[in-house]
Each structure stands twice: as structure tokens, then as C-alpha cells.
């Protein structure tokens, strides 16, 4: 079994959860990030993967058995997303070549594999739900596909095995993360309680009434470790979700109750969080100073644009996990428990009051 790991994007939601699990399981872990944070048992590597020469220098002498790619950089267009994020994967895997090739490389992407990139998210002709791995790629440019192609090319060249992991929206803790629904909703609920504003569902009737699922960061970490150490999972792509389904019409009340507020009735009107929270930065800063919170910058905690994209979709989104189940992965999380556990952690870390 592999015992040395390189976690790329170790300061993010997925990367930090993966690094923590690997350390717990006795792995020697190196965590690569542009701005590493202190993590117990993780040796930091500072690198900007958009810089090929700098990446190669930072990776000199790094010879992991397994590599977990959990990072990306958001750009202004899908063409730029493709150019930048494919180069990051390429620079990483090229930088590791002078040493011993890893046995396994895992790439985390997501359901935009089926829903399309941000510029065409949830539009056009989409595969039927539940999404299944064999449904393949959409006929549209997508940086997830470009990342996959870089992994496939390097695997063919260097001989390592690979896995691709496609979570739905991830619930977990990180500060400064570009896509963070759990913390965004916690901050929004806190602001509603602080200001007396109604706790309004920001999304579409399709999301309010339809079935959906999500992915806990800890469960995704378990799935990454499972694929890296399971021969039958070699060179396969997998969906990965918690294993339950829910409707936001039920979950919204559960989240409201966790903050001691009432969920406002939903009348079918889309009320994007980007609009609702547009002027909340000064309110949050004042609240944070008063309550002694660790992060007074609202922009480092909340990502309203991403939550709006997910909750505003006009279609039901449910994900099939049969492929992993057939190969022996049995991990499960109740999504409401995942939210409540996150809220408790955010309170303990003084990120929300």
C-alpha cells in the first residue's frame, strides 16, 4: 500500500480534509499550496502551478506514491479556465517526472462534467438524471475535460494509475475558498439573525421542490483514499456523493433551526445571494469585531456567486453512486448532519458566532 502522498491544494476544502485523513491513516503527507496553512502532520510545499519552472523547482526531490489534485483557479472565461487549469495539471505532473513516477494520481473535478461549464451551466441538452459515469462528455469545451486529458496523457507517458472523482457541491471548512456553500449559508443565516432580515431561499423552484444530493468533504477524502488503494478502482472515473437525497424545501428549515431563526416561506421568486449580501461586508466586519471572530473579511468566507449557481439551476440534479458501490466503497453521510457538523466546527473555530 502506498504510504507517501502529495496533496495539491492542501489548504482548500477537499485538500485539507484529504490531508487530515491521510495523516490519521499513517501516511507521510506533503501539502502543496500557493499559500499553505499550518496543518498537523503535513509538510508544506509552496508552489504556484501556473509557473512551470517554479513548480519544477518546488517539486525537486518530491517522490510521492500517490498524488491528489484538489485545486483549480477560476478565470474570467471558460477558454481561460481551460488554458490555466490544464497548464497547472501539466506543470505539476511534469515537475514530478524527474523523480520516481507516482503509483497513482487522483483528480477531483465535479458535476460540471455533466452540467457544463459556468458559461453554459445547466443549459442546453444535458444527460438525464441520475448522472452516471458512462454518460460521458458534453459536446462543449470544459476545463474539467482539459484537466482529465492532461492526467491521461501523463499516465500514458509515465505509467501511473489514475482516478477521477466527481463530487456534487462539497460541504466542508476552508477560508478563502472560491466555492463554499456550507460556510456561505452559515454566514447568510448569521447575517439574517443579526439584521432581522428574512432567511429567504435564494434559488429556483426546481431546486426548492426537486430532489438533490451533496458531498461531504470527509466522505470525498475517504473516496480518494479508497480509489488510491483499491486495484479495481485503477483508471476509473467515479461520481461521489453522500448517499442520501433531499429537497431544499426540507433542508432550508433544518439550516434555519441551527441558527435559531425561521425559514421564510418560498413564493417561487429567485432572490440571489449576490444581491441579498451585496452590502453586508461592513455589517459582517462590525459583527466580527464585536464577537471576536477570526475572519472579519466577508469575501474570504462567503462565495454567493457559487451558491447562486447551484441553487438557481432550473433542473433537478441527482447523482448515481452504483459504480463505486459495486467495487466496494460503502461510505455514507447524512447531508443535514454534514451541514450541522460544519456549523459546529465554524463556531468552534470562531468563524461564526
Amino acid at each position: 500500500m502506498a504510504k507517501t502522498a502529495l496533496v495539491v491544494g492542501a489548504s482548500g476544502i477537499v485538500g485539507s480534509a484529504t490531508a487530515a485523513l491521510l495523516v490519521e491513516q499513517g501516511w507521510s503527507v506533503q501539502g502543496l499550496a500557493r499559500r499553505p496553512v499550518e496543518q498537523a502532520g503535513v509538510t508544506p510545499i509552496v508552489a504556484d502551478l501556473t509557473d512551470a519552472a517554479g513548480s519544477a523547482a518546488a517539486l525537486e526531490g518530491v517522490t510521492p506514491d500517490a498524488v491528489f489534485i484538489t485545486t483549480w483557479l477560476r478565470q474570467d472565461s471558460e477558454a481561460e479556465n481551460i488554458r490555466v487549469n490544464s497548464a497547472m495539471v501539466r506543470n505539476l505532473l511534469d515537475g514530478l517526472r524527474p523523480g520516481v513516477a507516482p503509483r497513482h494520481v487522483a483528480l477531483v473535478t465535479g458535476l460540471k462534467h455533466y452540467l457544463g461549464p459556468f458559461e453554459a451551466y445547466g443549459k442546453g441538452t444535458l444527460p438525464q438524471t441520475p448522472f452516471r459515469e458512462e454518460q460521458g462528455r458534453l459536446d462543449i469545451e470544459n476545463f474539467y475535460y482539459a484537466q482529465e486529458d492532461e492526467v491521461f496523457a501523463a499516465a500514458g507517458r509515465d505509467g501511473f494509475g489514475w482516478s477521477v472523482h466527481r463530487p456534487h457541491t462539497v460541504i466542508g471548512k476552508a477560508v478563502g475558498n472560491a466555492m463554499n456553500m456550507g460556510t456561505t449559508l452559515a454566514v447568510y443565516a448569521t447575517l439574517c439573525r443579526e439584521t432581522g432580515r428574512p432567511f429567504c431561499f435564494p434559488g429556483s423552484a426546481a431546486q426548492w421542490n426537486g430532489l438533490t444530493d451533496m458531498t461531504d468533504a470527509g466522505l470525498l477524502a475517504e473516496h480518494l483514499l479508497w480509489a488510491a488503494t483499491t486495484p479495481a478502482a485503477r483508471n476509473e472515473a467515479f461520481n461521489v456523493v453522500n448517499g442520501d437525497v433531499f429537497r431544499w424545501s426540507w433542508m432550508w428549515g433544518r439550516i434555519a433551526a441551527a441558527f435559531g431563526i425561521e425559514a421564510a416561506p418560498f413564493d417561487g421568486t429567485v432572490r440571489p445571494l449576490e444581491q441579498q449580501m451585496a452590502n453586508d461586508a461592513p455589517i459582517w466586519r462590525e459583527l466580527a469585531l464585536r464577537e471576536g471572530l477570526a475572519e472579519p473579511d466577508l469575501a474570504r468566507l462567503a462565495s454567493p456567486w457559487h451558491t447562486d449557481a447551484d441553487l438557481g439551476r432550473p433542473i433537478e440534479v441527482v447523482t448515481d453512486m452504483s459504480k463505486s458501490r459495486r467495487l466496494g466503497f460503502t461510505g455514507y453521510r447524512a447531508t443535514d448532519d454534514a451541514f450541522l457538523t460544519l456549523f459546529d466546527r465554524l463556531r468552534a473555530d470562531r468563524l461564526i458566532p
Side-chain angles (χ1 to χ4, degrees), residues 282-304:
I283 299 172
W284 184 262
R285 183 170 295 278
E286 183 179 334
L287 184 154
L289 292 174
R290 188 189 74 217
E291 299 290 337
L293 301 184
E295 181 52 74
D297 185 351
L298 180 63
R300 285 183 51 76
L301 292 176
S303 51

Side-chain angles (χ1 to χ4, degrees), residues 69-306:
I69 306 173
T70 71
T71 190
W72 71 290
L73 284 178
R74 187 189 181 198
Q75 305 299 310
D76 291 335
S77 68
E78 192 59 19
E80 278 298 287
N81 276 331
I82 290 168
R83 184 185 69 81
V84 171
N85 289 285
S86 62
M88 289 171 62
V89 174
R90 183 169 60 254
N91 292 341
L92 167 72
L93 298 177
D94 284 352
L96 291 171
R97 286 192 73 194
V100 179
R103 300 178 191 173
H104 185 86
V105 172
L107 172 68
V108 178
T109 61
L111 293 196
K112 286 189 290 296
H113 184 94
Y114 309 107
L115 288 162
F118 290 119
E119 292 177 4
Y121 192 55
K123 301 174 183 176
T125 302
L126 301 174
Q128 288 187 328
T129 57
F131 295 138
R132 301 176 186 276
E133 295 90 347
E134 64 266 22
Q135 288 168 321
R137 296 179 174 184
L138 301 175
D139 187 20
I140 187 171
E141 294 296 308
N142 189 322
F143 83 87
Y144 283 172
Y145 306 161
Q147 287 181 307
E148 286 184 344
D149 287 343
E150 293 292 345
V151 171
F152 300 158
R157 177 191 69 203
D158 296 338
F160 58 75
W162 55 264
S163 59
V164 175
H165 304 255
R166 299 170 186 157
H168 199 165
T169 305
V170 178
I171 302 170
K173 184 209 162 191
V175 175
N177 194 271
M179 300 191 298
N180 194 338
M181 181 190 284
T183 302
T184 298
L185 293 180
V187 167
Y188 173 56
T190 300
L191 286 164
C192 287
R193 185 178 63 195
E194 174 77 6
T195 62
R197 297 193 322 234
F199 184 59
C200 297
F201 182 71
S204 67
Q207 292 302 303
W208 181 258
N209 296 312
L211 290 172
T212 193
D213 47 32
M214 293 185 72
T215 306
D216 178 76
L219 180 98
L220 177 51
E222 293 172 10
H223 196 262
L224 286 161
L225 177 56
W226 167 79
T229 56
T230 300
R234 181 183 174 92
N235 298 348
E236 296 286 350
F238 298 100
N239 298 330
V240 51
V241 287
N242 286 339
D244 65 347
V245 294
F246 65 92
R247 302 181 199 275
W248 279 105
S249 56
W250 175 79
M251 186 67 77
W252 201 246
R254 295 280 287 159
I255 293 173
F259 291 88
I261 57 178
E262 294 291 328
F266 179 65
D267 62 5
T269 303
V270 177
R271 296 180 172 86
L273 288 181
E274 273 203 299
Q275 296 175 16
Q276 292 194 57
M277 301 175 69
N279 300 313
D280 283 343
I283 299 172
W284 184 262
R285 183 170 295 278
E286 183 179 334
L287 184 154
L289 292 174
R290 188 189 74 217
E291 299 290 337
L293 301 184
E295 181 52 74
D297 185 351
L298 180 63
R300 285 183 51 76
L301 292 176
S303 51
W305 69 272
H306 171 254

